[in-house]
Amino acid sequence: MNKKNVLPVDFMWGGATAANQYEGAWNVGGKKASTADVMTGGSHTTPRRITKHIEEGTYYPSHEAVDFYHHYKEDIKLFAEMGFKCFRMSIAWSRIFPNVDDKVANEEGLKFYDNVFSELKKYNIEPIVTISHYEAPFALTEKYNGWASREAIDHYVRYCNTLFKRYKDVVKYWITFNEINSLMVPAGAFIAGALLVDDSGIFNNITVDSSQMRFQALHHQLVASAKAVNIAHQINPDFKVGCMINYSLGYASTCNPKDIIKAQKQDQINNMICGDVHVRGEYPTFTKRYFEESNIKIEMAEGDEETLKNGCVDFYTFSYYKSHVVGTRPEGDVTQGNVFGGFKNPYLKANDWGWQIDPEGLRYVLNHVYDRYKIPMMVVENGLGAVDIVEKDGKINDDYRIKFLREHIEQMKEAVYDGVELIGYTPWGCIDIVSASTGEMKKRYGFIYVDKDNDGKGTLNRRKKKSFNWYQQVIATNGEEI
Ligand code: BG6
């Protein structure tokens, strides 16, 4: 075997999206506001606001997004044309339980996903479903302050139960929470935890210390995830349930042992706490000291430890976009990211939003995580957010995106050759969708261009970019011709 043909024949090539950034139809078919629906548009320099109620005259990017709700047939046909073997999507919880505590699930919402799954089936595209992707009914926030309350667990489990039963024969791969470790940092409080921690209304600029609340919320999510895994396996033993970690890769800024320890600590806290609970069913030993020193006291209910032990995931998925530098005496400026950031790395270039591009970091993470857990892995988000130009002839020559993805695929192959069991790759925003961190449309990731701008104007027409044909060939050759 050589690097060229190292990927397994059944490798799952596809693309990834999330309901709140893609579907639109925010109040159609019985759906009510989700946490994403009360977030305004923003930009690289202007943060999004959380408005707590829908303000008249304010623009909310998720309300229409790019309207997958009414374009799903057209979009799935395009995915099939690219040769997708799988498609990562999420279900909007607010479409199924609009008030979170509804006695009965919203049939019209369930029906929409029936239709989506049967369309995917038509083309033999395997759905990979994220159950909660930066979205919860806003009622969860209003009634319980989101995941701060233990009651969120029961509501989530009921929601999972409904999905597992309804889609028992059409969905095999499930992911319980998107980027669950976002709750490690203040920017994750609202988007990942549905938590309002202060009155600032600014989701990524929280100044009060929210760590106690966030870690308690995280514990509730981890328990909820474990319960979901357990139920999933009972409902259909063939189900494969995975976790999803926003991989925060921080290199030590120097070989000073203090820097090495600092980078190691950050890796343990940001990545391994959640990874270990999901995969090994228990908090790692280093958590105790971290909680003590950070003054965090997790309230555990009787049976939580057992629940975690009995709900270990079947596979490990993660998002990987960038890396940063960690150190006691870091040199240089801060680098950007949607959730995690750090210091700049002089060896790396960044995209227009300041996210540092580091393909080799992907090989590093794959090896590092696989060595620890030894379970199948999937890269479920990776990609380049960029401004695309539609030329006079209608073409979109996104060579920069092709380069980015090519270099990351090369490193995936290196990792597989290293011995990592990598089963799939779903680049983020395979069709242009709303950016989670800024709410912009102009930060595009797709192989398919959608005619819509930052102010919400546009025809919503779909158009293939140059990368569309390129990815088609990558899939057709199982990653040999990249
Ligand atoms: C991931 C999220 O962190 O990054 C996605 O799971 C998000 O929801 C993606 O869209 C890219 O971030 P952004 O801010 O560029 O959309």
Side-chain angles (χ1 to χ4, degrees):
M1 200 197 299
N2 62 34
K3 245 188 328 191
K4 239 185 129 209
N5 56 12
V6 80
L7 296 177
V9 282
D10 53 357
F11 190 73
M12 294 169 75
W13 295 98
T17 58
N20 81 84
Q21 293 161 259
Y22 187 25
E23 266 177 23
W26 75 283
N27 58 358
V28 174
K31 182 180 177 303
K32 288 197 176 162
S34 72
T35 47
D37 294 328
V38 297
M39 287 179 73
T40 66
S43 75
H44 188 20
T45 45
T46 315
R48 307 183 72 177
R49 282 189 304 123
I50 304 160
T51 62
K52 296 189 194 165
H53 62 270
I54 310 292
E55 294 172 355
E56 204 155 316
T58 296
Y59 176 58
Y60 296 92
S62 65
H63 286 197
E64 181 188 52
V66 296
D67 199 23
F68 176 63
Y69 193 80
H70 297 106
H71 289 75
Y72 69 94
K73 288 192 179 171
E74 179 187 349
D75 290 356
I76 291 171
K77 190 162 180 235
L78 286 164
F79 299 154
E81 196 182 328
M82 267 189 281
F84 277 22
K85 313 275 182 225
C86 67
F87 174 53
R88 176 176 175 233
M89 53 177 273
S90 73
I91 289 183
W93 186 355
S94 53
R95 208 175 276 297
I96 310 301
F97 289 101
N99 302 294
V100 82
D101 50 8
D102 311 69
K103 294 256 170 318
V104 186
N106 175 31
E107 178 56 29
E108 213 175 328
L110 291 166
K111 185 82 189 92
F112 169 65
Y113 297 105
D114 282 338
N115 296 342
V116 170
F117 295 139
S118 77
E119 202 64 20
L120 289 169
K121 179 100 188 134
K122 201 161 118 187
Y123 300 103
N124 272 327
I125 299 175
E126 182 89 50
I128 300 171
V129 175
T130 315
I131 298 167
S132 177
H133 188 132
Y134 283 179
E135 186 268 355
F138 189 55
L140 185 72
T141 304
E142 292 178 311
K143 293 177 186 171
Y144 307 101
N145 199 15
W147 285 92
S149 161
R150 208 178 154 91
E151 292 190 62
I153 300 175
D154 287 345
H155 291 302
Y156 175 86
V157 168
R158 203 159 55 95
Y159 164 52
C160 290
N161 230 309
T162 307
L163 302 186
F164 296 152
K165 286 185 179 144
R166 176 77 168 218
Y167 308 123
K168 186 169 171 277
D169 301 318
V170 285
V171 177
K172 175 174 170 189
Y173 293 93
W174 301 90
I175 292 171
T176 52
F177 287 93
N178 181 63
E179 297 186 338
I180 194 166
N181 57 326
S182 299
L183 273 167
M184 298 287 167
V185 289
F190 187 66
I191 54 171
L195 301 171
L196 285 174
V197 297
D198 66 6
D199 288 327
S200 71
I202 305 294
F203 97 92
N204 56 359
N205 189 24
I206 293 165
T207 46
V208 300
D209 179 9
S210 57
S211 43
Q212 171 63 36
M213 193 194 279
R214 281 186 284 106
F215 275 91
Q216 185 65 51
L218 177 65
H219 176 69
H220 294 151
Q221 289 194 346
L222 289 165
V223 170
S225 171
K227 288 191 173 194
V229 174
N230 205 291
I231 295 166
H233 289 152
Q234 284 172 33
I235 292 178
N236 184 347
D238 288 338
F239 276 169
K240 299 282 177 215
V241 191
C243 60
M244 201 300 206
I245 305 293
N246 178 346
Y247 211 92
S248 154
L249 174 57
Y251 300 116
S253 60
T254 72
C255 49
N256 179 341
K258 290 191 170 48
D259 288 339
I260 306 291
I261 293 286
K262 195 154 188 187
Q264 183 186 46
K265 281 287 149 211
Q266 193 184 83
D267 185 36
Q268 288 179 331
I269 307 306
N270 285 356
N271 305 310
M272 299 307 181
I273 292 183
C274 291
D276 280 17
V277 177
H278 276 305
V279 181
R280 295 174 167 173
E282 60 188 16
Y283 283 92
T285 47
F286 49 75
T287 322
K288 187 168 174 278
R289 176 172 180 173
Y290 176 68
F291 282 173
E292 259 171 38
E293 290 180 348
S294 322
N295 231 345
I296 295 167
K297 287 191 186 62
I298 300 296
E299 235 174 78
M300 293 231 190
E302 217 190 308
D304 278 2
E305 278 174 337
E306 208 188 331
T307 301
L308 296 177
K309 264 278 168 248
N310 292 331
C312 298
V313 295
D314 303 304
F315 63 107
Y316 180 104
T317 86
F318 66 106
S319 57
Y320 178 80
Y321 293 91
K322 57 193 184 313
S323 65
H324 59 265
V325 165
V326 185
T328 49
R329 283 182 301 142
E331 282 161 28
D333 305 330
V334 172
T335 158
Q336 305 291 313
N338 50 353
V339 175
F340 296 108
F343 294 98
K344 278 189 183 159
N345 185 333
Y347 296 100
L348 302 177
K349 294 206 171 76
N351 74 1
D352 293 344
W353 280 261
W355 297 23
Q356 293 188 135
I357 301 168
D358 179 13
E360 277 163 312
L362 179 55
R363 176 179 178 187
Y364 178 88
V365 172
L366 282 163
N367 272 279
H368 183 52
V369 175
Y370 189 69
D371 272 357
R372 191 173 180 94
Y373 301 131
K374 295 270 181 324
I375 60 172
M377 295 182 69
M378 228 188 252
V379 180
V380 292
E381 282 188 37
N382 171 236
L384 180 72
V387 177
D388 290 329
I389 311 281
V390 184
E391 306 290 349
K392 284 206 181 73
D393 61 3
K395 294 208 170 106
I396 298 144
N397 297 313
D398 56 341
D399 295 286
Y400 36 88
R401 181 166 294 109
I402 294 174
K403 180 174 184 293
F404 179 102
L405 295 169
R406 174 187 295 130
E407 289 174 357
H408 283 79
I409 294 171
E410 266 163 9
Q411 293 304 319
M412 276 173 11
K413 287 162 68 171
E414 293 284 353
V416 172
Y417 199 24
D418 289 335
V420 173
E421 192 185 347
L422 180 66
I423 58 170
Y425 180 57
T426 57
W428 178 249
C430 47
I431 176 166
D432 294 344
I433 55 179
V434 174
S435 156
S437 55
T438 66
E440 290 168 294
M441 266 312 294
K442 81 168 189 196
K443 188 180 188 192
R444 297 173 183 274
Y445 287 87
F447 303 109
I448 301 163
Y449 184 90
V450 180
D451 178 31
K452 184 164 178 182
D453 66 18
N454 277 356
D455 302 321
K457 298 197 188 73
T459 59
L460 292 175
N461 283 346
R462 275 65 171 152
R463 192 188 284 267
K464 298 173 195 170
K465 301 183 195 175
K466 188 171 177 184
S467 56
F468 184 101
N469 295 96
W470 172 80
Y471 195 45
Q472 190 179 46
Q473 166 201 296
V474 170
I475 297 177
T477 61
N478 201 25
E480 287 197 22
E481 284 175 32
I482 58 171

PDB file of all heavy atoms in Angstrom, residues 446-472:
ATOM      1  N   GLY A 446     -18.624  26.986   0.284  1.00  0.00           N
ATOM      2  CA  GLY A 446     -19.233  25.956  -0.536  1.00  0.00           C
ATOM      3  C   GLY A 446     -18.548  25.588  -1.840  1.00  0.00           C
ATOM      4  O   GLY A 446     -17.738  26.331  -2.383  1.00  0.00           O
ATOM      5  N   PHE A 447     -18.958  24.445  -2.354  1.00  0.00           N
ATOM      6  CA  PHE A 447     -18.657  24.044  -3.736  1.00  0.00           C
ATOM      7  C   PHE A 447     -19.751  24.636  -4.631  1.00  0.00           C
ATOM      8  O   PHE A 447     -19.628  24.682  -5.830  1.00  0.00           O
ATOM      9  CB  PHE A 447     -18.693  22.520  -3.893  1.00  0.00           C
ATOM     10  CG  PHE A 447     -17.748  21.791  -2.977  1.00  0.00           C
ATOM     11  CD1 PHE A 447     -18.220  21.036  -1.897  1.00  0.00           C
ATOM     12  CD2 PHE A 447     -16.374  21.846  -3.182  1.00  0.00           C
ATOM     13  CE1 PHE A 447     -17.350  20.361  -1.056  1.00  0.00           C
ATOM     14  CE2 PHE A 447     -15.497  21.168  -2.340  1.00  0.00           C
ATOM     15  CZ  PHE A 447     -15.988  20.437  -1.274  1.00  0.00           C
ATOM     16  N   ILE A 448     -20.857  25.009  -3.970  1.00  0.00           N
ATOM     17  CA  ILE A 448     -22.017  25.568  -4.677  1.00  0.00           C
ATOM     18  C   ILE A 448     -22.244  26.983  -4.149  1.00  0.00           C
ATOM     19  O   ILE A 448     -22.352  27.186  -2.918  1.00  0.00           O
ATOM     20  CB  ILE A 448     -23.272  24.695  -4.420  1.00  0.00           C
ATOM     21  CG1 ILE A 448     -23.019  23.259  -4.885  1.00  0.00           C
ATOM     22  CG2 ILE A 448     -24.505  25.286  -5.098  1.00  0.00           C
ATOM     23  CD1 ILE A 448     -23.994  22.247  -4.316  1.00  0.00           C
ATOM     24  N   TYR A 449     -22.297  27.910  -5.063  1.00  0.00           N
ATOM     25  CA  TYR A 449     -22.502  29.310  -4.705  1.00  0.00           C
ATOM     26  C   TYR A 449     -23.998  29.572  -4.569  1.00  0.00           C
ATOM     27  O   TYR A 449     -24.796  29.109  -5.373  1.00  0.00           O
ATOM     28  CB  TYR A 449     -21.918  30.188  -5.817  1.00  0.00           C
ATOM     29  CG  TYR A 449     -21.964  31.678  -5.549  1.00  0.00           C
ATOM     30  CD1 TYR A 449     -20.898  32.319  -4.910  1.00  0.00           C
ATOM     31  CD2 TYR A 449     -23.055  32.441  -5.956  1.00  0.00           C
ATOM     32  CE1 TYR A 449     -20.914  33.680  -4.673  1.00  0.00           C
ATOM     33  CE2 TYR A 449     -23.081  33.809  -5.716  1.00  0.00           C
ATOM     34  CZ  TYR A 449     -22.017  34.419  -5.071  1.00  0.00           C
ATOM     35  OH  TYR A 449     -22.048  35.764  -4.838  1.00  0.00           O
ATOM     36  N   VAL A 450     -24.382  30.352  -3.549  1.00  0.00           N
ATOM     37  CA  VAL A 450     -25.790  30.753  -3.428  1.00  0.00           C
ATOM     38  C   VAL A 450     -25.851  32.276  -3.531  1.00  0.00           C
ATOM     39  O   VAL A 450     -25.125  32.987  -2.820  1.00  0.00           O
ATOM     40  CB  VAL A 450     -26.405  30.291  -2.093  1.00  0.00           C
ATOM     41  CG1 VAL A 450     -27.867  30.737  -2.003  1.00  0.00           C
ATOM     42  CG2 VAL A 450     -26.322  28.776  -1.956  1.00  0.00           C
ATOM     43  N   ASP A 451     -26.698  32.739  -4.428  1.00  0.00           N
ATOM     44  CA  ASP A 451     -26.815  34.182  -4.660  1.00  0.00           C
ATOM     45  C   ASP A 451     -27.585  34.846  -3.518  1.00  0.00           C
ATOM     46  O   ASP A 451     -28.815  34.886  -3.509  1.00  0.00           O
ATOM     47  CB  ASP A 451     -27.530  34.426  -6.004  1.00  0.00           C
ATOM     48  CG  ASP A 451     -27.735  35.912  -6.271  1.00  0.00           C
ATOM     49  OD1 ASP A 451     -26.891  36.706  -5.810  1.00  0.00           O
ATOM     50  OD2 ASP A 451     -28.743  36.264  -6.907  1.00  0.00           O
ATOM     51  N   LYS A 452     -26.826  35.300  -2.549  1.00  0.00           N
ATOM     52  CA  LYS A 452     -27.417  36.029  -1.428  1.00  0.00           C
ATOM     53  C   LYS A 452     -26.302  36.823  -0.754  1.00  0.00           C
ATOM     54  O   LYS A 452     -25.165  36.341  -0.671  1.00  0.00           O
ATOM     55  CB  LYS A 452     -28.036  35.040  -0.426  1.00  0.00           C
ATOM     56  CG  LYS A 452     -28.734  35.754   0.707  1.00  0.00           C
ATOM     57  CD  LYS A 452     -29.667  34.847   1.477  1.00  0.00           C
ATOM     58  CE  LYS A 452     -30.280  35.664   2.614  1.00  0.00           C
ATOM     59  NZ  LYS A 452     -31.164  34.890   3.448  1.00  0.00           N
ATOM     60  N   ASP A 453     -26.625  38.038  -0.302  1.00  0.00           N
ATOM     61  CA  ASP A 453     -25.562  38.838   0.311  1.00  0.00           C
ATOM     62  C   ASP A 453     -25.771  39.011   1.812  1.00  0.00           C
ATOM     63  O   ASP A 453     -26.721  38.482   2.393  1.00  0.00           O
ATOM     64  CB  ASP A 453     -25.396  40.187  -0.414  1.00  0.00           C
ATOM     65  CG  ASP A 453     -26.615  41.086  -0.246  1.00  0.00           C
ATOM     66  OD1 ASP A 453     -27.429  40.841   0.680  1.00  0.00           O
ATOM     67  OD2 ASP A 453     -26.759  42.036  -1.038  1.00  0.00           O
ATOM     68  N   ASN A 454     -24.899  39.793   2.407  1.00  0.00           N
ATOM     69  CA  ASN A 454     -24.937  39.975   3.870  1.00  0.00           C
ATOM     70  C   ASN A 454     -26.207  40.642   4.370  1.00  0.00           C
ATOM     71  O   ASN A 454     -26.540  40.527   5.541  1.00  0.00           O
ATOM     72  CB  ASN A 454     -23.755  40.849   4.310  1.00  0.00           C
ATOM     73  CG  ASN A 454     -22.497  40.026   4.457  1.00  0.00           C
ATOM     74  OD1 ASN A 454     -22.535  38.809   4.310  1.00  0.00           O
ATOM     75  ND2 ASN A 454     -21.409  40.680   4.741  1.00  0.00           N
ATOM     76  N   ASP A 455     -26.873  41.392   3.482  1.00  0.00           N
ATOM     77  CA  ASP A 455     -28.107  42.066   3.912  1.00  0.00           C
ATOM     78  C   ASP A 455     -29.337  41.219   3.639  1.00  0.00           C
ATOM     79  O   ASP A 455     -30.477  41.668   3.823  1.00  0.00           O
ATOM     80  CB  ASP A 455     -28.268  43.405   3.171  1.00  0.00           C
ATOM     81  CG  ASP A 455     -27.085  44.300   3.415  1.00  0.00           C
ATOM     82  OD1 ASP A 455     -26.599  44.298   4.559  1.00  0.00           O
ATOM     83  OD2 ASP A 455     -26.618  44.968   2.468  1.00  0.00           O
ATOM     84  N   GLY A 456     -29.113  40.028   3.116  1.00  0.00           N
ATOM     85  CA  GLY A 456     -30.245  39.136   2.873  1.00  0.00           C
ATOM     86  C   GLY A 456     -30.820  39.278   1.475  1.00  0.00           C
ATOM     87  O   GLY A 456     -31.870  38.707   1.183  1.00  0.00           O
ATOM     88  N   LYS A 457     -30.129  40.036   0.610  1.00  0.00           N
ATOM     89  CA  LYS A 457     -30.664  40.202  -0.744  1.00  0.00           C
ATOM     90  C   LYS A 457     -30.045  39.185  -1.691  1.00  0.00           C
ATOM     91  O   LYS A 457     -28.877  38.828  -1.545  1.00  0.00           O
ATOM     92  CB  LYS A 457     -30.342  41.602  -1.257  1.00  0.00           C
ATOM     93  CG  LYS A 457     -30.982  42.697  -0.425  1.00  0.00           C
ATOM     94  CD  LYS A 457     -30.992  44.010  -1.184  1.00  0.00           C
ATOM     95  CE  LYS A 457     -31.443  45.134  -0.264  1.00  0.00           C
ATOM     96  NZ  LYS A 457     -30.405  45.504   0.727  1.00  0.00           N
ATOM     97  N   GLY A 458     -30.848  38.761  -2.677  1.00  0.00           N
ATOM     98  CA  GLY A 458     -30.331  37.807  -3.661  1.00  0.00           C
ATOM     99  C   GLY A 458     -31.437  36.885  -4.116  1.00  0.00           C
ATOM    100  O   GLY A 458     -32.511  36.826  -3.498  1.00  0.00           O
ATOM    101  N   THR A 459     -31.164  36.173  -5.217  1.00  0.00           N
ATOM    102  CA  THR A 459     -32.200  35.322  -5.807  1.00  0.00           C
ATOM    103  C   THR A 459     -32.244  33.925  -5.182  1.00  0.00           C
ATOM    104  O   THR A 459     -33.149  33.158  -5.455  1.00  0.00           O
ATOM    105  CB  THR A 459     -31.904  35.116  -7.313  1.00  0.00           C
ATOM    106  OG1 THR A 459     -30.594  34.515  -7.404  1.00  0.00           O
ATOM    107  CG2 THR A 459     -31.921  36.431  -8.084  1.00  0.00           C
ATOM    108  N   LEU A 460     -31.230  33.588  -4.419  1.00  0.00           N
ATOM    109  CA  LEU A 460     -31.051  32.247  -3.848  1.00  0.00           C
ATOM    110  C   LEU A 460     -30.719  31.203  -4.921  1.00  0.00           C
ATOM    111  O   LEU A 460     -30.725  29.997  -4.644  1.00  0.00           O
ATOM    112  CB  LEU A 460     -32.286  31.783  -3.054  1.00  0.00           C
ATOM    113  CG  LEU A 460     -32.587  32.525  -1.749  1.00  0.00           C
ATOM    114  CD1 LEU A 460     -33.907  32.026  -1.147  1.00  0.00           C
ATOM    115  CD2 LEU A 460     -31.467  32.331  -0.734  1.00  0.00           C
ATOM    116  N   ASN A 461     -30.422  31.683  -6.131  1.00  0.00           N
ATOM    117  CA  ASN A 461     -30.028  30.733  -7.175  1.00  0.00           C
ATOM    118  C   ASN A 461     -28.734  30.034  -6.798  1.00  0.00           C
ATOM    119  O   ASN A 461     -27.853  30.616  -6.194  1.00  0.00           O
ATOM    120  CB  ASN A 461     -29.816  31.462  -8.516  1.00  0.00           C
ATOM    121  CG  ASN A 461     -31.149  31.795  -9.152  1.00  0.00           C
ATOM    122  OD1 ASN A 461     -32.179  31.276  -8.736  1.00  0.00           O
ATOM    123  ND2 ASN A 461     -31.134  32.685 -10.140  1.00  0.00           N
ATOM    124  N   ARG A 462     -28.649  28.799  -7.205  1.00  0.00           N
ATOM    125  CA  ARG A 462     -27.463  27.985  -6.946  1.00  0.00           C
ATOM    126  C   ARG A 462     -26.586  27.958  -8.199  1.00  0.00           C
ATOM    127  O   ARG A 462     -27.125  27.883  -9.310  1.00  0.00           O
ATOM    128  CB  ARG A 462     -27.869  26.555  -6.613  1.00  0.00           C
ATOM    129  CG  ARG A 462     -28.225  26.261  -5.167  1.00  0.00           C
ATOM    130  CD  ARG A 462     -29.397  26.902  -4.596  1.00  0.00           C
ATOM    131  NE  ARG A 462     -29.690  26.326  -3.278  1.00  0.00           N
ATOM    132  CZ  ARG A 462     -30.286  26.938  -2.280  1.00  0.00           C
ATOM    133  NH1 ARG A 462     -30.696  28.190  -2.409  1.00  0.00           N
ATOM    134  NH2 ARG A 462     -30.508  26.322  -1.128  1.00  0.00           N
ATOM    135  N   ARG A 463     -25.270  27.958  -8.014  1.00  0.00           N
ATOM    136  CA  ARG A 463     -24.337  27.959  -9.143  1.00  0.00           C
ATOM    137  C   ARG A 463     -23.086  27.155  -8.758  1.00  0.00           C
ATOM    138  O   ARG A 463     -22.576  27.315  -7.647  1.00  0.00           O
ATOM    139  CB  ARG A 463     -23.928  29.425  -9.374  1.00  0.00           C
ATOM    140  CG  ARG A 463     -23.200  29.718 -10.644  1.00  0.00           C
ATOM    141  CD  ARG A 463     -22.730  31.167 -10.566  1.00  0.00           C
ATOM    142  NE  ARG A 463     -23.812  32.121 -10.805  1.00  0.00           N
ATOM    143  CZ  ARG A 463     -24.100  32.634 -11.990  1.00  0.00           C
ATOM    144  NH1 ARG A 463     -23.380  32.316 -13.031  1.00  0.00           N
ATOM    145  NH2 ARG A 463     -25.080  33.494 -12.131  1.00  0.00           N
ATOM    146  N   LYS A 464     -22.627  26.313  -9.668  1.00  0.00           N
ATOM    147  CA  LYS A 464     -21.447  25.497  -9.333  1.00  0.00           C
ATOM    148  C   LYS A 464     -20.176  26.334  -9.380  1.00  0.00           C
ATOM    149  O   LYS A 464     -19.991  27.096 -10.322  1.00  0.00           O
ATOM    150  CB  LYS A 464     -21.288  24.350 -10.342  1.00  0.00           C
ATOM    151  CG  LYS A 464     -22.434  23.387 -10.356  1.00  0.00           C
ATOM    152  CD  LYS A 464     -22.249  22.398 -11.507  1.00  0.00           C
ATOM    153  CE  LYS A 464     -23.538  21.658 -11.763  1.00  0.00           C
ATOM    154  NZ  LYS A 464     -23.525  20.861 -12.992  1.00  0.00           N
ATOM    155  N   LYS A 465     -19.313  26.147  -8.406  1.00  0.00           N
ATOM    156  CA  LYS A 465     -18.003  26.813  -8.440  1.00  0.00           C
ATOM    157  C   LYS A 465     -17.008  25.863  -9.103  1.00  0.00           C
ATOM    158  O   LYS A 465     -17.299  24.682  -9.290  1.00  0.00           O
ATOM    159  CB  LYS A 465     -17.533  27.128  -7.013  1.00  0.00           C
ATOM    160  CG  LYS A 465     -18.471  28.020  -6.223  1.00  0.00           C
ATOM    161  CD  LYS A 465     -17.898  28.335  -4.836  1.00  0.00           C
ATOM    162  CE  LYS A 465     -18.969  28.916  -3.922  1.00  0.00           C
ATOM    163  NZ  LYS A 465     -18.498  29.137  -2.542  1.00  0.00           N
ATOM    164  N   LYS A 466     -15.814  26.376  -9.369  1.00  0.00           N
ATOM    165  CA  LYS A 466     -14.781  25.517  -9.956  1.00  0.00           C
ATOM    166  C   LYS A 466     -14.502  24.304  -9.048  1.00  0.00           C
ATOM    167  O   LYS A 466     -14.261  23.190  -9.510  1.00  0.00           O
ATOM    168  CB  LYS A 466     -13.497  26.332 -10.147  1.00  0.00           C
ATOM    169  CG  LYS A 466     -12.411  25.633 -10.918  1.00  0.00           C
ATOM    170  CD  LYS A 466     -11.288  26.598 -11.235  1.00  0.00           C
ATOM    171  CE  LYS A 466     -10.147  25.901 -11.950  1.00  0.00           C
ATOM    172  NZ  LYS A 466      -9.015  26.834 -12.159  1.00  0.00           N
ATOM    173  N   SER A 467     -14.570  24.536  -7.752  1.00  0.00           N
ATOM    174  CA  SER A 467     -14.286  23.450  -6.804  1.00  0.00           C
ATOM    175  C   SER A 467     -15.311  22.315  -6.892  1.00  0.00           C
ATOM    176  O   SER A 467     -15.029  21.195  -6.451  1.00  0.00           O
ATOM    177  CB  SER A 467     -14.251  23.997  -5.371  1.00  0.00           C
ATOM    178  OG  SER A 467     -15.461  24.660  -5.063  1.00  0.00           O
ATOM    179  N   PHE A 468     -16.471  22.590  -7.461  1.00  0.00           N
ATOM    180  CA  PHE A 468     -17.508  21.563  -7.605  1.00  0.00           C
ATOM    181  C   PHE A 468     -16.970  20.400  -8.433  1.00  0.00           C
ATOM    182  O   PHE A 468     -17.028  19.232  -8.023  1.00  0.00           O
ATOM    183  CB  PHE A 468     -18.742  22.180  -8.271  1.00  0.00           C
ATOM    184  CG  PHE A 468     -19.933  21.258  -8.406  1.00  0.00           C
ATOM    185  CD1 PHE A 468     -20.995  21.338  -7.521  1.00  0.00           C
ATOM    186  CD2 PHE A 468     -20.013  20.314  -9.434  1.00  0.00           C
ATOM    187  CE1 PHE A 468     -22.107  20.498  -7.640  1.00  0.00           C
ATOM    188  CE2 PHE A 468     -21.103  19.472  -9.559  1.00  0.00           C
ATOM    189  CZ  PHE A 468     -22.157  19.568  -8.661  1.00  0.00           C
ATOM    190  N   ASN A 469     -16.424  20.738  -9.606  1.00  0.00           N
ATOM    191  CA  ASN A 469     -15.909  19.679 -10.500  1.00  0.00           C
ATOM    192  C   ASN A 469     -14.655  19.031  -9.922  1.00  0.00           C
ATOM    193  O   ASN A 469     -14.415  17.844 -10.083  1.00  0.00           O
ATOM    194  CB  ASN A 469     -15.603  20.249 -11.881  1.00  0.00           C
ATOM    195  CG  ASN A 469     -16.890  20.715 -12.529  1.00  0.00           C
ATOM    196  OD1 ASN A 469     -17.217  21.895 -12.457  1.00  0.00           O
ATOM    197  ND2 ASN A 469     -17.647  19.808 -13.099  1.00  0.00           N
ATOM    198  N   TRP A 470     -13.899  19.862  -9.244  1.00  0.00           N
ATOM    199  CA  TRP A 470     -12.687  19.323  -8.620  1.00  0.00           C
ATOM    200  C   TRP A 470     -13.047  18.263  -7.564  1.00  0.00           C
ATOM    201  O   TRP A 470     -12.500  17.160  -7.567  1.00  0.00           O
ATOM    202  CB  TRP A 470     -11.879  20.472  -7.983  1.00  0.00           C
ATOM    203  CG  TRP A 470     -10.741  19.963  -7.162  1.00  0.00           C
ATOM    204  CD1 TRP A 470      -9.520  19.541  -7.609  1.00  0.00           C
ATOM    205  CD2 TRP A 470     -10.734  19.773  -5.738  1.00  0.00           C
ATOM    206  NE1 TRP A 470      -8.752  19.101  -6.549  1.00  0.00           N
ATOM    207  CE2 TRP A 470      -9.476  19.235  -5.394  1.00  0.00           C
ATOM    208  CE3 TRP A 470     -11.662  20.008  -4.720  1.00  0.00           C
ATOM    209  CZ2 TRP A 470      -9.116  18.937  -4.085  1.00  0.00           C
ATOM    210  CZ3 TRP A 470     -11.317  19.696  -3.407  1.00  0.00           C
ATOM    211  CH2 TRP A 470     -10.051  19.172  -3.102  1.00  0.00           C
ATOM    212  N   TYR A 471     -14.027  18.583  -6.703  1.00  0.00           N
ATOM    213  CA  TYR A 471     -14.396  17.648  -5.632  1.00  0.00           C
ATOM    214  C   TYR A 471     -15.033  16.387  -6.224  1.00  0.00           C
ATOM    215  O   TYR A 471     -14.837  15.276  -5.731  1.00  0.00           O
ATOM    216  CB  TYR A 471     -15.332  18.341  -4.640  1.00  0.00           C
ATOM    217  CG  TYR A 471     -15.494  17.599  -3.327  1.00  0.00           C
ATOM    218  CD1 TYR A 471     -14.401  17.071  -2.641  1.00  0.00           C
ATOM    219  CD2 TYR A 471     -16.758  17.431  -2.743  1.00  0.00           C
ATOM    220  CE1 TYR A 471     -14.548  16.398  -1.432  1.00  0.00           C
ATOM    221  CE2 TYR A 471     -16.922  16.762  -1.524  1.00  0.00           C
ATOM    222  CZ  TYR A 471     -15.814  16.236  -0.881  1.00  0.00           C
ATOM    223  OH  TYR A 471     -15.956  15.571   0.318  1.00  0.00           O
ATOM    224  N   GLN A 472     -15.763  16.582  -7.300  1.00  0.00           N
ATOM    225  CA  GLN A 472     -16.392  15.457  -7.994  1.00  0.00           C
ATOM    226  C   GLN A 472     -15.317  14.440  -8.405  1.00  0.00           C
ATOM    227  O   GLN A 472     -15.460  13.226  -8.238  1.00  0.00           O
ATOM    228  CB  GLN A 472     -17.082  16.021  -9.231  1.00  0.00           C
ATOM    229  CG  GLN A 472     -17.978  15.099  -9.979  1.00  0.00           C
ATOM    230  CD  GLN A 472     -18.603  15.839 -11.154  1.00  0.00           C
ATOM    231  OE1 GLN A 472     -17.906  16.549 -11.893  1.00  0.00           O
ATOM    232  NE2 GLN A 472     -19.899  15.692 -11.333  1.00  0.00           N
TER     233      GLN A 472
END
